[in-house]
Structure formats: structure tokens, C-alpha cells
Amino acid sequence: MKDLDKKEIEGPLISVLRGEAVDPSPIWLMRQAGRYLPEYRQLRAKAGGFVELCLDPVAAAEVTLQPITRFDFDAAIIFSDILIVPHALGSKLWFEEGEGPRLEPLSDRAALAKTYDGLDRNIVERVYDAISRVRSKLAPEVALIGFCGAPWTVATYWVAGRGTKDHAAARQLAADEPGLFGEIIDRLVAATADHLIGQLRAGADVVQIFDTWAASLGPEDFKRWCLEPTIEIVRRVRSAKPDALIILFPKGVSIDRAEELVRVSGADAVSLDSDANRTLTCKRLKPLCAIQGNLDPSVLIEGGAALDQAIDAIKEDFRGARHIFNLGHGIRPETPIAHVERMIARVRGG
Ligand code: CP3
């Protein structure tokens, strides 16, 4: 009886991560708080900017809760950004309207020397404050997800000072000055683990590590800049919080690499992008972890029969597996709200 009560309190997402297949699969969406919601755009305009919104605990908590209030998802993800970590390590962070985030570039040893050894508490405590506020307002069965970027992905933005298509600046630095690049990665590993532990202590039930650019590395570099740092982050988080639930999102990597990441790190779930082969991945990863994903965000924009078919295929391919329904990447600003409603109803059995 006691167990049953506990399960009810935990809710479906936590049950899946702890080892149980749940039907229908729990559902949430990457970037679920964002520009496709009019209530987000309104608060964003009032806050004056994206970074300001991230660092205002009351507003960040409100934005986090908007998609839960509207759609009743099974998880909330704290409204923040992966670039808050380099910001809390001493780098200026701002948002160029219509373009994206910008950081002071970290291109040489002099720039690294100016960064901090550890996180600026003044910045990260705002994220933890937002997390505590959200957790106190969420129903017990709705999970709260904290997150960070993986060191390689964050480094691609930090070294260049902005998002780039080919990650040339980070690759170049890693090739020309592997010692210096290794120090940057080590600093990010320590700060990222601390930030995840801070989020878990503040009330996050789960954390997700976003490695959006994991697939842009060759085999040796993958091991050095993605696999090993991720393993070390999981190790540090688990030594502070032994039962921490961890989802990895190594976007676009091969099944071999995804399997190695999960097997060696001991993460609880892997999030697949839309190109992943579900049947093969399921066969290989099902014994190891839960699987999250992987609806194509452009099919959610398209809607109609194409959306229904794509949802049904995902349900079929993951039948009996520990599955969390999600997109293969973040929801796009042009997504119609009616399509999100249609998707949720269909996933839940409509
Ligand atoms: O998922 C959520 O709802 C939580 C919030 C969240 C944001 N960014 C808010 C955001 C999360 C989990 C992220 C992760 C993130 N941020 C990643 C990894 C995941 C991914 O999408 O690949 C990366 C690479 C970033 C860095 C970043 N932040 C970029 C490249 C951009 C510009 C592109 C864009 O979508 O505008 C951002 C801005 C950003 N982060 C917005 C939001 C809601 C849009 C800001 C706005 O204009 O209001």
C-alpha cells in the first residue's frame, strides 16, 4: 500500500526513469516554455530581455509554469539557459534580438585567466530560487527538470562568443591548444556538476544534460570532449546525490556512442533526435535505460494526418519500453498551439 502511494506522488515520468514502463508514456517537450506561447511573449516583453527573464526568479518560475497550466504536461523544465554556466563563470551574457545569445569569447589563455574557478552564487542562486518556487507550486506527480549544457556544446558557444554552424572556433582551439581547451572543459565539468547538484538540492527531481553538438566530433575527440566529461559530471552529481535521475541528450550521435555514454555513465535515460532509428535504438538501449523522444518538430508544425501518423508510429515502436514522449529537438516558435493539444490528446489515448 505504501509503495502505491509513493508511486502516485512520484508520477509517471519518475516511474519511467526509476525502471517501470508506463502506458501512456509521460510527455513533455524540449523548449516547452517559449515563443510559440503568447503568454511567454507577453512576459518576455515585460522583462526587457531574455537574460533578464532567466535571472528573475519570480518571472522565470511563472514562465516555467505556463506550459503546465495550459497543457498539463507530466514534467516542467526550469526556464533558464545552458549559457548561464559560462555567465556564472564570469563571462558577460547578452541577447541580440532577432539573432541569439552572445558571450564574451573565450579564445585564449588570457581570457581563461579572467574567468572564475567556481560559479558566481549571485547568478546561480537565482536559478535555484526559481526552482524552489516552481516545485512549491507544482502538483506532486508533475516532475521538475533542471538542466545544463554538456561541456563540449557550451564550449562551442563560449569559445566563439556566439552560436556557429560548424563550431570551427572550438574545434580549432581544441586542435591547436589541447591543453588550454582541456582546462576549459575541466572548468566546465566542475561548474556543470555543481550547477546540477544546486538544482537538485533546490527541488529539481531530474536533470537533463543537453549535448546539442555531440555529433560534430570525430571518435578521439568524442571520447575526450564528450564521453569522458559527461561520465565525470554524472559521477560528481551521484556522489553528492546518489539517487539523482539523469537524462542525456547527445543529439545526433550513433547508437554505439549513445549506448557507450549510457552504459559507462550510468545515466537513467537517453533522449533521441528525430533521425534516430527507433527500432534499432530500442533493441540496444531498452535493457539499459529509459528512452525519450523523438517526434520531428517540423511534423508538429505540419499537423493533421502527418502528425497523427508520426505519433502512432512512435507509440508502436516504443510499446512496452520505458518511454518518455518528447520531440527530437526543441519546439519551434511557429508551432500552432492547436497541434500541441492534438498531440497530447493522441499520446494519451485520444
Ligand atoms: O526547454 C525549456 O523550455 C527550458 C528552457 C531552455 C532554453 N534554452 C530557453 C531558451 C533550454 C533547456 C535551453 C537549452 C539551450 N540553450 C540549448 C540546448 C538545447 C537546444 O535547443 O539545442 C542551447 C544550444 C541553448 C543556447 C541558446 N539559447 C540558443 C542557441 C538560443 C537562440 C536560439 C533560439 O531558439 O532563439 C537561445 C535562446 C533561448 N533559450 C530562447 C529560449 C526560450 C529564446 C529566447 C527568446 O527569444 O525569447
Side-chain angles (χ1 to χ4, degrees):
M1 204 46 214
K2 217 166 167 228
D3 268 5
L4 270 180
D5 288 344
K6 192 159 170 272
K7 229 179 265 169
E8 248 166 52
I9 290 168
E10 281 184 350
L13 188 113
I14 302 295
S15 297
V16 166
L17 290 173
R18 290 222 186 279
E20 201 190 318
V22 175
D23 186 19
S25 300
I27 177 170
W28 69 281
L29 301 182
M30 289 192 264
R31 293 280 180 101
Q32 66 189 18
R35 286 161 297 181
Y36 73 109
L37 292 176
E39 58 270 36
Y40 169 81
R41 295 196 296 270
Q42 208 181 354
L43 236 168
R44 164 87 151 78
K46 231 172 44 187
F50 173 67
V51 179
E52 290 70 15
L53 190 54
C54 286
L55 295 178
D56 175 341
V58 175
E62 192 177 336
V63 172
T64 305
L65 290 165
Q66 283 173 345
I68 307 304
T69 309
R70 190 188 263 274
F71 301 117
D72 190 27
F73 285 122
D74 294 299
I77 179 163
I78 190 65
F79 185 80
S80 184
D81 199 85
I82 64 165
L83 303 182
I84 290 297
V85 164
H87 185 38
L89 287 174
S91 188
K92 284 198 187 78
L93 171 67
W94 69 101
F95 197 87
E96 289 290 338
E97 288 309 326
E99 292 191 33
R102 295 283 186 275
L103 284 164
E104 255 174 287
L106 184 63
S107 46
D108 54 24
R109 188 160 288 285
L112 180 63
K114 281 199 279 177
T115 66
Y116 312 146
D117 283 338
L119 294 165
D120 179 346
R121 306 306 301 179
N122 232 326
I123 292 175
V124 292
E125 291 291 347
R126 295 166 189 240
V127 179
Y128 310 151
D129 184 359
I131 287 177
S132 309
R133 286 169 191 272
V134 173
R135 189 59 274 178
S136 72
K137 290 192 177 133
L138 278 179
E141 69 277 11
V142 179
L144 176 55
I145 302 173
F147 72 90
C148 65
W152 163 250
T153 288
V154 173
T156 65
Y157 289 93
W158 202 3
V159 171
R162 57 186 297 161
T164 53
K165 271 217 171 88
D166 51 7
H167 321 128
R171 288 161 178 289
Q172 196 69 47
L173 190 64
D176 293 349
E177 296 187 62
L180 172 62
F181 194 71
E183 284 177 48
I184 295 172
I185 294 290
D186 287 349
R187 188 156 304 195
L188 283 169
V189 165
T192 302
D194 281 354
H195 192 41
L196 293 178
I197 294 164
Q199 293 179 70
L200 289 161
R201 290 200 172 125
D205 306 294
V206 180
V207 289
Q208 175 157 320
I209 303 175
F210 287 87
D211 208 351
T212 308
W213 306 122
S216 73
L217 292 168
E220 265 311 299
D221 287 342
F222 174 76
K223 184 163 175 271
R224 199 158 169 199
W225 309 130
C226 176
L227 183 69
E228 287 170 0
T230 304
I231 292 166
E232 181 59 15
I233 289 169
V234 174
R235 192 192 66 73
R236 288 184 190 213
V237 170
R238 291 258 172 80
S239 71
K241 298 280 278 179
D243 55 2
L245 293 169
I246 302 173
I247 304 173
L248 303 181
F249 179 46
K251 185 174 177 292
V253 301
S254 65
I255 301 177
D256 281 347
R257 285 185 180 181
E259 199 227 327
E260 190 176 11
L261 265 168
V262 177
R263 191 171 37 75
V264 186
S265 71
D268 302 282
V270 69
S271 197
L272 304 181
D273 85 345
S274 311
D275 294 331
N277 180 320
R278 284 190 294 272
T279 322
L280 281 181
T281 313
C282 212
K283 214 162 134 191
R284 289 274 296 278
L285 296 186
K286 207 167 121 178
L288 282 178
C289 64
I291 304 175
Q292 176 171 277
N294 70 341
L295 184 71
D296 184 343
S298 56
V299 176
L300 187 57
I301 295 171
E302 193 182 340
L307 175 60
D308 291 351
Q309 280 161 18
I311 293 166
D312 294 350
I314 291 171
K315 287 178 82 159
E316 184 53 37
D317 291 344
F318 287 119
R319 195 170 301 284
R322 291 194 284 140
H323 176 233
I324 300 163
F325 197 98
N326 206 316
L327 298 172
H329 200 188
I331 186 168
R332 301 221 199 98
E334 63 270 35
T335 309
I337 285 171
H339 295 185
V340 178
E341 290 165 349
R342 182 181 179 123
M343 170 189 65
I344 296 169
R346 199 159 182 102
V347 169
R348 291 192 170 147

